[in-house]
Amino acid sequence: MKKINDIFIGQHFCLPNNFLTSNYDTFLFFDFGLGMEPEFLEYFSDLLDLGGFNKQVNVFDYDFNIIVDNWILKHDDLLKYIKRIIGYVDINDDNGIIMADTDLNWVAVQDIPINWGVFAFQSSKKESIRLFHMMNRDWFVDIERFKSMEKVLIREVGEEFINILLSNYGNIRSKQA
């Protein structure tokens, strides 16, 4: 079984740069605190139930220290774990968060809670890509929406951010072929 740190190219996890190994080639971008948003975690838990996906996740900091080990996402314990994650982030100067299912079908990364983050999937794994297609686009922006919203987003996040993001994530699959 792969270790979580084996799926990263390096330890500079900062959007808009791509920092994941090439088998993670399908992405959704988000702008909420990873592991800290109860409404999203409830939605995500329900989605995992609906699709019959693995609900067991691990939450790490950027040094791959475990924050929450083998958390089975369910409504009745969300607040307990959210408090643990928020407390850890506060104590560790807004350290980034990595969240992944225990099968490593997907990984979500956010360098600090106020920055954009990325959910990454493996298009070669049916389970992974099926989850990608089921996820609610209201919570996320995929690379195609970034391209179509480029002018609006330039005002929000800056032209340099958009250009680097598109060059790093816009044609990842074609680079591998």
Side-chain angles (χ1 to χ4, degrees):
M1 175 177 265
K2 282 183 150 182
K3 294 181 182 176
I4 187 73
N5 54 336
D6 291 339
I7 66 175
F8 295 97
I9 295 167
Q11 287 196 14
H12 274 343
F13 309 141
C14 180
L15 278 183
N17 300 315
N18 181 28
F19 44 79
L20 294 158
T21 58
S22 61
N23 52 339
Y24 289 87
D25 60 357
T26 306
F27 308 98
L28 292 173
F29 304 94
F30 61 90
D31 190 19
F32 56 83
L34 181 60
M36 300 178 211
E37 181 65 48
E39 187 180 355
F40 170 73
L41 290 171
E42 287 174 357
Y43 157 78
F44 194 52
S45 173
D46 291 345
L47 180 72
L48 294 174
D49 279 339
L50 180 67
F53 298 105
N54 177 9
K55 290 185 68 167
Q56 196 168 7
V57 300
N58 292 317
V59 181
F60 304 86
D61 70 9
Y62 268 26
D63 295 320
F64 304 111
N65 297 310
I66 197 82
I67 300 171
V68 180
D69 191 23
N70 295 317
W71 175 15
I72 298 174
L73 290 176
K74 53 187 179 182
H75 290 252
D76 59 353
D77 66 1
L78 290 178
L79 289 179
K80 174 177 112 177
Y81 288 108
I82 289 170
K83 286 178 185 177
R84 182 185 299 176
I85 294 166
I86 290 172
Y88 186 91
V89 168
D90 286 347
I91 290 169
N92 291 285
D93 297 324
D94 292 326
N95 192 344
I97 298 291
I98 302 166
M99 181 183 283
D101 76 327
T102 54
D103 298 327
L104 300 181
N105 285 315
W106 58 266
V107 61
V109 183
Q110 188 173 39
D111 61 348
I112 59 174
I114 60 168
N115 282 356
W116 281 84
V118 61
F119 253 86
F121 306 85
Q122 300 180 56
S123 65
S124 63
K125 287 186 164 185
K126 288 181 185 176
E127 186 97 344
S128 181
I129 205 66
R130 189 166 63 93
L131 179 60
F132 167 81
H133 287 297
M134 288 179 71
M135 291 181 79
N136 185 341
R137 297 303 194 261
D138 290 341
W139 284 94
F140 300 98
V141 178
D142 64 12
I143 201 67
E144 296 307 315
R145 279 183 58 199
F146 256 115
K147 288 177 184 176
S148 67
M149 296 170 53
E150 187 173 350
K151 288 184 173 95
V152 172
L153 288 171
I154 284 174
R155 286 187 296 243
E156 183 182 326
V157 296
E159 186 171 9
E160 182 180 2
F161 177 91
I162 298 297
N163 288 337
I164 294 171
L165 183 99
L166 292 176
S167 69
N168 276 288
Y169 293 94
N171 58 355
I172 282 204
R173 284 194 212 150
S174 61
K175 286 181 190 176
Q176 295 171 15

